[in-house]
């Protein structure tokens, strides 16, 4: 069988794409190793639109239920009593390779056809692909950082910042993401201290200057983060000043880590162009990659912002364009 579309990834982008693909009656295979994306480990999420508060596991379960309901043909009055869905799901499977045109049955190569291979050595043919494989946050390598994650140490100011209203917090990082997170936190935190490992910042000079002017903002450069302090919740951070070789302690109630993301794109590096950070290069107008027949959405792409709501919207945009590519070309 040759599918119209294969979707790779079970986070907000992949789930949104699967729902839209089903409603458009595209012959679709949805492949995911796990459901939920990065948010699956979050205790509470407060910015998923339409839901005041939801835990990461609950959000992931919602993605699964929504996709599976479509796969079972249970969505919409027009499908009542009809289980002949155009959407098929393979969960617990990891895609390891995408190649052009080779058939698992040994048939000749066909123009415009891709082969998607999974870790279990299964191969599937498709006319189009949507890569929604997401990314993982680069973790803070400091003592107790893993123990206090989601207990005052977090990787998302947009998600968790309002919980720290009126408190002293720290931001770790030196890029635009770090300064943008600090700017968000300054709106409600008592103080924000940004700690960076180098003497210079990767962030734009204008952004650095604007955020640093806030009287509640403090910047400490050229430090190594040694330890996150706290028993049940973050109480502070210990860092070493590189020039003086002196250890210092900063008392804070929250730590926001912005030291980069690691895109889950290793399996596509030989077929689609990536940027210098190994994110998939796309046309933001359509979500197309530079390879005809392949689209990408969500945190694996080189878009400016990475959030659940943005990823879902990007995937919907991709599906609209994929449908036109398949049905109106």
């Amino acid at each position: 069988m040759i599918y119209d579309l294969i979707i790779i990834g079970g986070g907000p982008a992949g789930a949104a794409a699967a729902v839209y693909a089903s409603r458009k009656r595209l012959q679709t295979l949805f492949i995911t190793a796990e459901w939920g994306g990065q948010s699956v480990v979050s205790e509470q999420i407060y910015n998923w639109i339409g839901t005041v508060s939801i835990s990461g596991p609950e959000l992931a379960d919602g993605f699964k239920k929504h996709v599976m309901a479509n796969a079972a043909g249970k969505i919409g009055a027009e499908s009542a009593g009809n289980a002949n869905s155009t959407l098929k799901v393979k969960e617990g499977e990891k895609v390891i390779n995408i190649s052009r045109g080779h058939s698992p049955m040994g048939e000749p190569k066909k123009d415009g056809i891709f082969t998607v291979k999974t870790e279990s050595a299964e191969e599937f043919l498709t006319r189009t692909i949507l890569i929604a494989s997401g990314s993982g946050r680069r973790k803070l390598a400091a003592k107790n950082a893993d123990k206090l994650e989601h207990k005052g140490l977090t990787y998302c100011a947009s998600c968790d910042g309002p919980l720290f209203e009126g408190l002293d917090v720290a931001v770790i990082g030196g890029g635009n993401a770090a300064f943008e997170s600090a700017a968000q936190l300054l709106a409600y935190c008592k103080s924000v201290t940004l700690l960076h490992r180098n003497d210079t910042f990767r962030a734009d000079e204008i952004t650095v200057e604007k955020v640093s002017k806030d009287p509640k903002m403090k910047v400490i450069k050229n430090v190594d983060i040694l330890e996150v302090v706290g028993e049940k919740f973050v109480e502070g951070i210990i860092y070493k000043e590189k020039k003086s070789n002196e250890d210092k302690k900063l008392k804070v109630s929250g730590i926001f880590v912005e030291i980069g993301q690691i895109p889950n794109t290793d399996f596509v590096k030989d077929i689609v162009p990536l940027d210098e950070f190994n994110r998939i290069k796309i046309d933001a107008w359509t979500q197309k990659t530079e390879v005809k027949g392949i689209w990408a959405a969500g945190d694996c792409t080189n878009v400016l912002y990475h959030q659940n709501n943005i990823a879902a919207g990007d995937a919907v945009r991709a599906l609209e364009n994929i449908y036109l590519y398949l049905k109106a070309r």
Side-chain angles (χ1 to χ4, degrees):
M1 175 181 180
I2 299 177
Y3 289 96
D4 290 327
L5 169 66
I6 289 181
I7 299 167
I8 303 167
V19 170
Y20 269 71
S22 176
R23 294 180 64 82
K24 291 179 180 296
R25 310 302 290 170
L26 297 178
Q27 292 293 333
T28 304
L29 177 63
F30 176 89
I31 305 174
T32 184
E34 59 184 5
W35 297 88
Q38 289 187 54
S39 294
V40 73
V41 297
S42 299
E43 290 188 6
Q44 289 296 316
I45 298 162
Y46 297 96
N47 61 345
W48 180 246
I49 300 303
T51 306
V52 175
S53 174
I54 188 169
S55 72
E58 286 176 318
L59 184 64
D61 187 55
F63 291 160
K64 181 175 180 177
K65 286 178 178 176
H66 201 172
V67 172
M68 289 302 196
N70 278 272
K74 295 179 179 179
I75 302 295
E78 72 279 2
S79 61
N82 177 15
N84 294 320
S85 173
T86 58
L87 173 65
K88 298 186 184 304
V89 176
K90 288 192 74 67
E91 54 181 330
E93 280 278 15
K94 184 178 181 181
V95 172
I96 60 171
N97 183 257
I98 296 173
S99 59
R100 294 178 187 268
H102 171 69
S103 168
M105 303 303 293
E107 297 173 5
K109 290 187 177 182
K110 300 175 182 176
D111 291 337
I113 302 298
F114 299 95
T115 296
V116 175
K117 185 177 182 179
T118 65
E119 210 166 31
S120 61
E122 287 190 276
E123 293 185 348
F124 305 95
L125 298 182
T126 182
R127 294 180 176 85
T128 63
I129 296 172
L130 175 63
I131 303 165
S133 51
S135 68
R137 294 277 185 171
R138 194 180 300 278
K139 299 292 186 175
L140 179 64
K143 185 178 178 181
N144 292 331
D146 55 345
K147 186 183 84 170
L148 291 170
E149 188 171 330
H150 306 298
K151 298 176 182 178
L153 187 148
T154 178
Y155 291 82
C156 184
S158 297
C159 309
D160 302 325
L163 300 173
F164 295 84
E165 185 171 1
L167 300 176
D168 299 306
V169 301
V171 174
I172 312 299
N176 281 323
F179 277 90
E180 287 164 5
S181 291
Q184 292 182 55
L185 295 167
L186 286 166
Y188 28 75
C189 292
K190 182 180 178 182
S191 73
V192 177
T193 302
L194 185 143
L195 299 119
H196 182 45
R197 62 181 180 177
N198 295 324
D199 274 326
T200 58
F201 298 112
R202 300 186 310 278
D204 300 329
E205 289 185 17
I206 293 174
T207 302
V208 173
E209 183 180 359
K210 184 176 180 180
V211 177
S212 299
K213 282 182 178 178
D214 192 294
K216 297 192 294 180
M217 180 75 181
K218 182 179 180 181
V219 175
I220 304 175
K221 298 185 287 185
N222 211 22
V223 300
D224 284 327
I225 309 301
L226 303 179
E227 181 179 351
V228 179
V229 180
E231 289 299 322
K232 295 181 179 179
F233 204 82
V234 167
E235 297 172 8
I237 193 166
I238 296 175
Y239 63 91
K240 180 185 290 292
E241 287 188 338
K242 292 182 181 180
K243 290 183 179 179
S244 66
N245 207 34
E246 182 180 356
D247 291 357
K248 292 193 174 182
K249 182 178 179 179
L250 176 68
K251 186 177 180 181
V252 292
S253 299
I255 299 170
F256 295 82
V257 183
E258 288 289 356
I259 55 176
Q261 292 183 313
I262 303 173
N264 300 321
T265 57
D266 191 60
F267 70 101
V268 296
K269 64 183 180 182
D270 294 328
I271 194 166
V272 295
L274 308 178
D275 70 4
E276 65 271 31
F277 303 109
N278 291 322
R279 301 173 302 189
I280 300 170
K281 295 166 71 173
I282 63 159
D283 169 20
W285 186 252
T286 60
Q287 304 295 133
K288 289 180 182 178
T289 71
E290 295 181 17
V291 176
K292 186 177 180 181
I294 301 180
W295 287 253
D299 289 8
C300 63
T301 67
N302 63 336
V303 295
L304 182 57
Y305 301 111
H306 295 122
Q307 293 182 26
N308 284 338
N309 292 295
I310 294 171
D314 286 352
V316 172
R317 181 188 297 112
L319 248 294
E320 296 292 349
N321 199 253
I322 290 168
Y323 185 81
L324 291 176
Y325 173 85
L326 289 168
K327 303 297 184 180
R329 58 176 176 171

